[in-house]
């Protein structure tokens, strides 16, 4: 079973829920797909077992090129710029490539009539894997300055072990990286805080998941701050509240020193394993 | 010599320069030898079309681009297309041509490119 943890708003507690849930279950795999800002490993202190590069195929132009411009015409992301030869200005033909814009689709090499485009690997990040106690753990890291998170997220998801309960920690928001992280999961837990900000982004996330036809429920974190609007919304939309985590000094202190509160407060280990029971039941009934 | 200015509309020499090069609605091209003025709609990628704006301009035979500012990627493209680029322009096309002729505008370099385009 694959459970993704998403949120809409950032900083609501995705990592808190993902990592505490993982350490409260057996036969579990945790995948950190927030590759632009992975932080599950800060709580698990893993010893890296393997690091795999994540490469993107980018075009390299061969001498055979006659500057016809078909490749740049084809490229949706304008990663190629063809300078046609201009004898008047004494400008020789040239093709500029912008690897940072390239999505690696390979279309340019297919449309090139002269076979003048070869593809070469460009590394944009890594996927690390480790065993932390009983938890099988992998996390992606997109290199600083790289704009494309999705290829790294896909590489993290290639690690999915179908024999385990898989927990996917998604990035915040509702854009491509989130869609790719939650896609294919059996259930999505949306973590929110009971504030107008939390609610606004929760609504966007709920709409996204409904579009993707992924059953979902809500964990309210930092219960006690804000207002009642998240509850009113969930009631009206018939969205299940799976768990509430109070705005609690002890939890915050443990979090800030990188300690999982489910390992220190036994009632929370039980709460998280109960959460898994609720998720499993909801996913089956969906 | 043909000078190109990214502009807000189609009022020719009286048109205002666009503050944003790539998203300028039009490009006004002035042939200094014949005083002919041509207005080209920006049908590049920024307006749902295809291609980079410099590609569009390279095909018009422009020799010089005078604009308010532009990103480093556009500068590179112009450099390779043999089009000189000057930045710091303001006001109408007419005023800009005068400023350019007096040598009051600065040639574009990586240092004076718009930083927000470096992504």
């Amino acid at each position: 079973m694959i459970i993704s943890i998403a949120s809409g708003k950032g900083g609501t507690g995705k990592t808190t829920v993902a990592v505490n849930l993982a350490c409260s279950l057996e036969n579990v795999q945790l995948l950190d797909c927030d590759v632009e800002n992975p932080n599950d490993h800060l709580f698990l202190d893993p010893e890296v077992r393997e690091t795999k590069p994540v490469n993107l195929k980018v075009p390299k132009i061969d001498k055979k090129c006659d500057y016809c411009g078909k490749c740049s015409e084809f490229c949706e992301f304008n990663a190629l710029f063809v300078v046609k030869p201009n004898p008047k200005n004494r400008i020789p033909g040239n093709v500029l490539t912008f690897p940072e814009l390239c999505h690696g689709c390979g279309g340019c090499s297919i449309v090139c009539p002269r076979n003048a485009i070869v593809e070469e690997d460009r590394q944009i990040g890594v996927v690390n894997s480790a065993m932390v106690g009983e938890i099988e753990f992998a996390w992606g890291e997109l290199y600083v300055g790289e704009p494309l998170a999705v290829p790294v997220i896909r590489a993290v998801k290639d690690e999915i072990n179908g024999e385990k309960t898989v927990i996917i920690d998604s990035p915040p928001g509702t854009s491509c990286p989130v869609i790719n992280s939650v896609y294919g999961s059996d259930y999505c837990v949306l973590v929110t805080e009971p504030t107008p900000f939390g609610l606004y982004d929760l609504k966007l996330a709920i709409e996204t998941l409904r579009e993707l036809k992924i059953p979902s429920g809500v964990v309210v974190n930092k219960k006690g701050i804000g207002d009642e609007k998240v509850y009113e919304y969930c009631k009206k939309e018939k969205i299940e509240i799976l768990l509430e985590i109070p705005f609690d000094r002890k939890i915050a202190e443990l979090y800030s020193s990188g300690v999982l509160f489910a390992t220190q407060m036994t009632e929370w280990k039980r709460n998280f394993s109960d959460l898994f029971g609720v998720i499993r039941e909801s996913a089956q009934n969906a | 010599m043909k000078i190109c200015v990214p502009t807000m509309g189609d009022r020719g020499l009286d048109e205002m320069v666009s503050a944003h090069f790539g998203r300028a609605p039009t490009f006004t091209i002035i042939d200094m030898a014949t005083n002919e003025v041509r207005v080209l709609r920006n049908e590049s990628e920024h307006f749902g079309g295809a291609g980079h704006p410099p590609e569009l301009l390279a095909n018009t035979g422009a020799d010089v681009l005078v604009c308010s500012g532009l990103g480093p990627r556009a500068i590179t493209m112009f450099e390779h297309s043999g089009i000189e680029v000057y930045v710091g322009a303001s006001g109408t096309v007419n005023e800009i041509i005068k400023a350019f002729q007096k040598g009051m505008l600065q040639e574009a370099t990586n240092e004076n490119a718009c930083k927000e385009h470096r992504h």
Side-chain angles (χ1 to χ4, degrees):
Chain A
M1 180 179 189
I2 303 174
I3 303 166
S4 51
I5 317 287
S7 71
K9 184 184 177 298
T12 55
K14 283 178 299 301
T15 296
T16 301
V17 171
V19 185
N20 280 288
L21 180 62
C23 78
S24 306
L25 304 180
E26 282 165 9
N27 193 32
V28 69
Q29 184 189 34
L30 175 65
L31 301 176
D32 193 347
C33 282
D34 189 0
V35 302
E36 288 171 85
N37 194 11
N39 54 11
D40 290 3
H41 62 282
L42 300 176
F43 295 90
L44 296 174
D45 200 17
E47 200 174 301
V48 178
R49 191 179 52 183
E50 195 186 359
T51 298
K52 293 181 192 164
V54 180
N55 295 320
L56 209 59
K57 295 272 185 212
V58 298
K60 192 170 171 238
I61 314 296
D62 190 85
K63 282 199 286 285
K64 291 196 286 267
C65 173
D66 65 353
Y67 318 106
C68 73
K70 290 220 164 55
C71 54
S72 79
E73 229 169 83
F74 176 83
C75 183
E76 277 295 312
F77 299 99
N78 300 299
L80 296 134
F81 176 60
V82 177
V83 182
K84 307 224 159 141
N86 184 347
K88 194 188 109 197
N89 296 6
R90 290 189 302 277
I91 293 295
N94 196 0
V95 181
L96 307 182
T97 58
F98 301 98
E100 71 280 12
L101 297 181
C102 174
H103 282 50
C105 77
C108 53
S109 67
I110 295 172
V111 299
C112 178
R114 297 177 72 93
N115 264 332
I117 299 181
V118 287
E119 292 181 286
E120 56 180 19
D121 279 334
R122 188 172 78 89
Q123 192 176 355
I124 59 165
V126 292
V127 174
N128 299 307
S129 51
M131 281 303 291
V132 182
E134 296 294 301
I135 304 173
E136 187 178 337
F137 176 44
W139 71 105
E141 279 176 37
L142 179 69
Y143 284 166
V144 171
E146 288 296 338
L148 283 186
V150 170
V152 182
I153 291 171
R154 289 196 178 139
V156 177
K157 289 183 75 174
D158 285 344
E159 301 292 319
I160 286 178
N161 179 345
E163 285 166 15
K164 299 202 170 183
T165 298
V166 182
I167 298 170
I168 292 179
D169 192 4
S170 154
T174 47
S175 61
C176 295
V178 177
I179 309 282
N180 277 278
S181 299
V182 303
Y183 190 79
S185 45
D186 300 295
Y187 195 88
C188 182
V189 176
L190 289 169
V191 186
T192 189
E193 54 180 42
T195 63
F197 304 112
L199 175 60
Y200 186 90
D201 289 354
L202 173 67
K203 285 180 183 170
L204 297 174
I206 290 276
E207 284 168 27
T208 306
L209 291 169
R210 283 181 176 164
E211 193 71 32
L212 291 168
K213 299 191 167 52
I214 298 172
S216 62
V218 165
V219 168
V220 178
N221 188 20
K222 303 181 218 174
K223 180 195 175 188
I225 63 166
D227 56 27
E228 294 298 308
K229 296 248 167 47
V230 163
Y231 296 96
E232 289 164 20
Y233 169 75
C234 288
K235 194 173 168 196
K236 186 169 139 260
E237 294 289 325
K238 299 191 172 55
I239 299 160
E240 190 172 5
I241 307 259
L242 308 162
L243 178 70
E244 292 172 280
I245 303 169
F247 188 55
D248 177 270
R249 184 164 186 103
K250 190 164 178 206
I251 289 175
E253 275 174 4
L254 287 169
Y255 180 89
S256 65
S257 41
V259 179
L260 296 172
F261 63 93
T263 61
Q264 305 293 312
M265 302 159 86
T266 48
E267 72 273 27
W268 279 100
K269 187 155 189 159
R270 205 172 47 243
N271 289 344
F272 278 106
S273 64
D274 289 351
L275 170 66
F276 176 64
V278 177
I279 291 169
R280 195 167 45 188
E281 205 171 300
S282 300
Q284 273 160 6
N285 295 336
Chain B
M1 182 172 65
K2 283 185 186 171
I3 299 179
C4 173
V5 183
T7 36
M8 298 303 292
D10 53 11
R11 292 185 297 154
L13 292 172
D14 296 324
E15 193 52 76
M16 298 294 290
V17 63
S18 164
H20 191 302
F21 163 71
R23 285 178 191 274
T26 56
F27 295 107
T28 303
I29 299 152
I30 308 99
D31 190 328
M32 300 302 282
T34 62
N35 284 331
E36 188 197 340
V37 178
R38 194 176 146 207
V39 179
L40 200 71
R41 294 210 67 77
N42 183 358
E43 280 165 347
S44 73
E45 46 147 347
H46 295 294
F47 285 86
H52 298 276
E55 227 159 1
L56 197 78
L57 300 182
N59 294 333
T60 66
D63 304 290
V64 175
L65 173 88
V66 183
C67 64
S68 159
L70 77 177
R73 203 176 283 143
I75 294 179
T76 309
M77 292 181 209
F78 280 120
E79 220 169 82
H80 281 84
S81 308
I83 298 175
E84 287 173 42
V85 181
Y86 290 83
V87 294
S90 62
T92 64
V93 173
N94 226 340
E95 290 162 356
I96 288 166
I97 289 174
K98 284 191 187 122
F100 172 70
Q101 284 172 328
K102 283 185 198 155
M104 284 160 67
L105 299 173
Q106 204 187 345
E107 195 155 359
T109 62
N110 236 323
E111 278 61 51
N112 59 26
C114 298
K115 299 283 189 290
E116 63 268 29
H117 291 279
R118 272 178 212 195
H119 44 64

